[in-house]
Amino acid sequence: MNEKLARHLGWLGLVSLLSYTAAVVFSPLAYPGYDWMAQAVSDLSADTAPSRVLWNQLGALYMPCGIVCVTLCCITVKEHFNRAVRAGIGLFALMNWISAVGYAMFPLTQAGISGQLQDVMHLAVTAAVVLLSIASLTLIAYGGLRQQSCPALGRWALAALGLMIAGAVGTAVLPRAYFGIPERFSVFACAGFTAVLGIFECRGWEKQEDV
């Protein structure tokens, strides 16, 4: 692939993050009574959610740009990093694909969990996304910190992993009235790390130790 083109496409990671942020921040304007502190982000895109149309509009670039970015990184990173980092980025890309396809096929039927098969599958997709996210970020953090030429990528992965774990623990231990706060730690950890990978792609992987 043309190196200059690849570096320009890396900006799609940041575009993905901005699109997702816009959807999370502004979609509640079309959802009367939505409580961001208590409710999950996925409630905004549920089949019966009044904010679904606005969510789809604002988040239209989130999945496509993120998929292109992380898939591109899988191709271009292999000459610059050790096996752990390469495997981690591969798993992170797989997580993004499962997220894109799984949530498109199985959105929530309504805010909360109604127990229908579609909602059960939504939860299964979420479980797969969380497990793959933790595994991929762990590998990238381990490999990045171990390889002296690329400590910055490892530190960013470690930070994202910390947010993921904090989000998972927070949703389990905090009262239901505050569920939405730690849940956003997890979702923004992944969206943010996609942007980080894209920025490294733009700069050139060989220069990432300065980030």
Side-chain angles (χ1 to χ4, degrees):
M1 176 180 288
N2 181 278
E3 183 177 347
K4 186 176 181 180
L5 174 60
R7 292 191 176 187
H8 286 320
L9 290 175
W11 287 112
L12 293 177
L14 183 58
V15 173
S16 175
L17 173 61
L18 292 175
S19 178
Y20 185 74
T21 301
V24 173
V25 171
F26 295 110
S27 292
L29 297 176
Y31 193 137
Y34 180 82
D35 183 357
W36 71 270
M37 294 180 65
Q39 291 182 251
V41 170
S42 55
D43 287 356
L44 295 168
S45 58
D47 280 342
T48 58
S51 56
R52 180 174 176 81
V53 172
L54 183 58
W55 172 276
N56 289 337
Q57 292 171 334
L58 294 175
L61 296 176
Y62 165 52
M63 283 298 184
C65 291
I67 288 292
V68 172
C69 178
V70 296
T71 303
L72 174 66
C73 290
C74 287
I75 298 171
T76 60
V77 77
K78 58 184 178 182
E79 297 179 0
H80 302 284
F81 293 94
N82 55 42
R83 184 177 299 178
V85 173
R86 297 196 305 269
I89 292 178
L91 284 179
F92 192 77
L94 176 62
M95 178 277 294
N96 274 269
W97 277 98
I98 290 176
S99 178
V101 175
Y103 288 133
M105 292 178 64
F106 306 110
L108 287 177
T109 56
Q110 60 187 25
I113 304 298
S114 67
Q116 297 184 42
L117 176 61
Q118 183 169 311
D119 292 335
V120 173
M121 293 304 298
H122 182 92
L123 291 177
V125 171
T126 298
V129 166
V130 170
L131 291 175
L132 283 171
S133 297
I134 292 175
S136 61
L137 291 171
T138 300
L139 282 171
I140 297 170
Y142 169 76
L145 293 173
R146 185 182 179 191
Q147 186 170 324
Q148 294 182 354
S149 62
C150 60
L153 184 61
R155 290 194 293 267
W156 278 105
L158 193 61
L161 179 62
L163 285 175
M164 283 288 304
I165 294 175
V169 172
T171 55
V173 302
L174 288 179
R176 180 66 195 181
Y178 301 105
F179 174 88
I181 298 175
E183 192 250 1
R184 281 159 173 76
F185 288 179
S186 297
V187 296
F188 273 103
C190 292
F193 193 70
T194 297
V196 168
L197 290 177
I199 291 172
F200 284 149
E201 180 67 50
C202 292
R203 288 170 54 91
W205 294 103
E206 69 279 1
K207 298 179 181 178
Q208 68 80 45
E209 64 271 13
D210 299 324
V211 177

